[in-house]
Structures are given as structure tokens and as C-alpha cells.
């Protein structure tokens, strides 16, 4: 494991959030509250009750800012973006073992709205990535027509494609065909 389990979980949430706006079909997954609810449910957040349009607006704004971190041109730019995100939100660090997870630290204040929850916990996860000197693990998929992001948690930093099945498979096929062409010469 490269980071602690709660950091890796928060990073997976960031990736999922950014990719809701980067579907290869061009569809916007967070076009309404139903999409936001689906995002919340599949990431098993604790303490999220009713969702409102205000939550949606805030989450979309945060999504754009997280995406900027992935595209930041170097560590200082990423630091500035992350400090803005975590600096604006009220944080209340506390240890918890909810839902059968091992002890881990939450940074959002109990009862915080979804946007604050994400800004605090995902923002801190990104801060740990920078502090560990691992910013280059935050990547954009290298498939030509894909803008999805990924966190490369492989030991040898070899991951280049997002986890959408199309990208992985497509690139394997392309590599296979290239090898066949080589062999034919
Ligand atoms: Zn938790
Ligand atoms: Zn991709």
C-alpha cells in the first residue's frame, strides 16, 4: 500500500468525482440530484442525509478544483490549489471506525454538508500525496480521446490508463497489433 487505507479511499472518491464529468460519451453524470445521490451511494459516505441543489452546485465547483490539481503544472501550483481547498473549509479531525472500517481520521465536521465533507477529507488526502512527494501519481489517462483521471497506486508507477474497460482493453489491443506488425517485418 502506498498511502494509508483512508487516504487511498479518499483518492478513489476524488477520481470518481472528477470522472463523473469526463465520461467518454460526453455525458454529465452530475446533471441533477439523482446523479449526485448515485455518486454518494456508490462511495458509501457516512452522515449524508438529504441532498439539495446547493450541494450539487458546491460539489460541481469542487470537482473542477480537484481536476485542476490533477492538471497542475508542478508541485507549487498543486500546493496553492490544495491549500485553497482545505483552507476554506471548517475541519474537525477525529478518529472513527464507522461501518466496519479500521480506525481512520475524518477531517470534516460532524453534520457538515457534502461539499464540506469532500473538501476536507479529499482535500487532505491530496495534501498527503504532495507531502509524500507523490504528486506524479495523479494522472490523466493516456488513451488519445480519454480525459478521465487516475491515481497510480502501482509499486513501479506504470499505470497509464484509466479504469474504464474501454481504455485498458483498447490500448492492450493496440499494443498487441503493434507487436504483430513488428513480428511480420
Ligand atoms: Zn470514514
Ligand atoms: Zn481512459
Amino acid at each position: 500500500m502506498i498511502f494509508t487505507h483512508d487516504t487511498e479511499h479518499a483518492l478513489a472518491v476524488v477520481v470518481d468525482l472528477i470522472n463523473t464529468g469526463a465520461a467518454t460519451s460526453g455525458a454529465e453524470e452530475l446533471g441533477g440530484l439523482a446523479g449526485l445521490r448515485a455518486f454518494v451511494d456508490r462511495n458509501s459516505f457516512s452522515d449524508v442525509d438529504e441532498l439539495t441543489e446547493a450541494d450539487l452546485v458546491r460539489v460541481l465547483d469542487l470537482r473542477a478544483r480537484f481536476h485542476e490539481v490533477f492538471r497542475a503544472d508542478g508541485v507549487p501550483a498543486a500546493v496553492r490549489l490544495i491549500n485553497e481547498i482545505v483552507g476554506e473549509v471548517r475541519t474537525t479531525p477525529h478518529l472513527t471506525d464507522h461501518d466496519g472500517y479500521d480506525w481512520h481520521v475524518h477531517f470534516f465536521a460532524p453534520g457538515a454538508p457534502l461539499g464540506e465533507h469532500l473538501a476536507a477529507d479529499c482535500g487532505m488526502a491530496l495534501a498527503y500525496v504532495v507531502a509524500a512527494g507523490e504528486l506524479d501519481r495523479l494522472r490523466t489517462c493516456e488513451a488519445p480521446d480519454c480525459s478521465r483521471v487516475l491515481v497510480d497506486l502501482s509499486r513501479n508507477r506504470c499505470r497509464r490508463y484509466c479504469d474504464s474497460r474501454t481504455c485498458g482493453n483498447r490500448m492492450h489491443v493496440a499494443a498487441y497489433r503493434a507487436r504483430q506488425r513488428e513480428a511480420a517485418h
Side-chain angles (χ1 to χ4, degrees):
M1 196 179 281
I2 309 288
F3 305 107
T4 58
H5 72 99
D6 49 337
T7 297
E8 293 195 355
H9 178 253
L11 292 174
V13 171
V14 176
V15 165
D16 186 24
L17 177 60
I18 295 172
N19 288 343
T20 58
T24 28
S25 60
E28 169 58 80
E29 281 182 52
L30 297 187
L33 289 179
L36 186 60
R37 173 50 70 184
F39 166 74
V40 166
D41 288 348
R42 72 172 172 263
N43 285 292
S44 41
F45 294 117
S46 57
D47 275 343
V48 178
D49 303 327
E50 213 181 315
L51 295 164
T52 66
E53 288 294 334
D55 289 317
L56 183 59
V57 169
R58 179 134 195 200
V59 169
L60 288 175
D61 172 63
L62 200 54
R63 181 178 76 180
R65 297 169 73 185
F66 283 148
H67 202 176
E68 280 184 60
V69 174
F70 275 68
R71 291 182 292 199
D73 188 14
V75 171
V79 165
R80 186 175 42 77
L81 293 162
I82 295 166
N83 274 347
E84 277 171 17
I85 293 168
V86 296
E88 284 168 15
V89 69
R90 192 166 47 111
T91 48
T92 309
H94 59 285
L95 279 156
T96 169
D97 63 348
H98 67 93
D99 294 315
Y101 290 104
D102 276 343
W103 290 108
H104 59 285
V105 182
H106 278 179
F107 292 95
F108 64 93
L114 179 63
E116 282 185 32
H117 179 142
L118 290 171
D121 279 41
C122 297
M124 286 303 296
L126 292 171
Y128 282 128
V129 170
V130 172
E134 303 282 4
L135 181 65
D136 67 341
R137 290 184 183 275
L138 308 185
R139 309 224 175 107
T140 300
C141 179
E142 289 183 21
D145 52 353
C146 181
S147 57
R148 289 162 58 90
V149 299
L150 60 125
V151 177
D152 180 3
L153 295 176
S154 65
R155 206 161 287 278
N156 53 358
R157 302 166 188 267
C158 60
R159 218 181 130 197
R160 296 163 60 203
Y161 305 109
C162 72
D163 59 5
S164 86
R165 291 191 45 189
T166 41
C167 285
N169 288 344
R170 192 172 50 182
M171 300 315 290
H172 282 307
V173 169
Y176 173 73
R177 295 217 173 107
R179 278 197 303 275
Q180 278 194 320
R181 273 197 303 276
E182 290 278 293
H185 278 291

